[in-house]
Amino acid sequence: MKTRLLSLTAIAAALFATSAAADSHGCTFEAEIPDFTQEQIDALYDCVSAELLENYQSAGDEVAAVYRDWGHAQTGPAAPGMHGGRFLNTFVNEVGYEAYIQYEEDDESFEMPVGTVIAKESYTLRDNAPRLGPLFIMTRGTTEEFPDTDGWFYSAVQPNGNPMNISQSFCHDCHGGFSFSDSLGYPAFEVRLGGE
């Protein structure tokens, strides 16, 4: 009887936690992510957009303070892919914006301008409710500064605004595979500016 009571308590707690998480965002989504329509993708972003910005900025990170003033490098979020299956939304500072939105994928000699900073918002859906993810940041330096990562420095801001400890080699193990685009993994084709 005691075991059954404990399991009922655990079930109730799990239901409450799911409900509280959904209520904190004010929206829920019944569809599975692979079946999301663009309308649902846009609605999910509308649901989390203000909270992403507020949370990323809460601990005073310099990039988090300004990235939404940069160029938006896609028409809107797309269904999840990279970065742990999260929805991503990409912003690029003025230094690199024009080069980035060329979405160069065929030139081994292509390099983003030094001083480029790219910020990717991330979030997902779990138990029908939005879950915020990190703000992923790539900063273009020189290969002399960052020889092990082809001139890139990787960082991130946690959803609570604090810096996230990340491994440069872990990030670059994936990004380095994009040598034809200066280590950049671009947004999905359907949300690229001027895309299909």
Side-chain angles (χ1 to χ4, degrees), residues 27-91:
C27 52
T28 58
F29 297 83
E30 297 297 326
E32 295 295 319
I33 287 176
D35 301 325
F36 258 39
T37 64
Q38 191 60 49
E39 185 177 86
Q40 288 169 312
I41 291 170
D42 295 341
L44 176 58
Y45 184 65
D46 287 345
C47 180
V48 300
S49 178
E51 188 176 3
L52 283 169
L53 185 62
E54 181 181 337
N55 287 14
Y56 292 152
Q57 293 180 343
S58 65
D61 183 85
E62 289 180 25
V63 172
V66 298
Y67 79 93
R68 283 267 184 97
D69 296 328
W70 298 347
H72 195 187
Q74 56 196 80
T75 59
M82 305 303 248
H83 289 262
R86 295 179 174 100
F87 292 89
L88 300 173
N89 211 5
T90 307
F91 299 82

Side-chain angles (χ1 to χ4, degrees), residues 2 6 44 48 78 81 89 114 116 152 166 170-171:
K2 186 175 182 181
L6 286 175
L44 176 58
V48 300
N89 211 5
V114 171
T116 296
W152 288 99
I166 60 172
F170 178 81
C171 292

Side-chain angles (χ1 to χ4, degrees), residues 82-84 86 134 136 148-149 152 154-156 164-178 183:
M82 305 303 248
H83 289 262
R86 295 179 174 100
F136 295 104
D148 297 333
T149 54
W152 288 99
Y154 302 92
S155 59
M164 184 174 176
N165 292 325
I166 60 172
S167 162
Q168 297 298 298
S169 60
F170 178 81
C171 292
H172 199 65
D173 282 351
C174 182
H175 279 270
F178 301 115
S183 302

Side-chain angles (χ1 to χ4, degrees), residues 117-141:
V117 183
I118 301 164
K120 290 181 182 283
E121 299 174 323
S122 74
Y123 52 95
T124 190
L125 193 68
R126 192 176 327 130
D127 299 324
N128 298 332
R131 296 289 185 266
L132 307 185
L135 178 68
F136 295 104
I137 302 166
M138 290 178 68
T139 303
R140 186 68 161 98

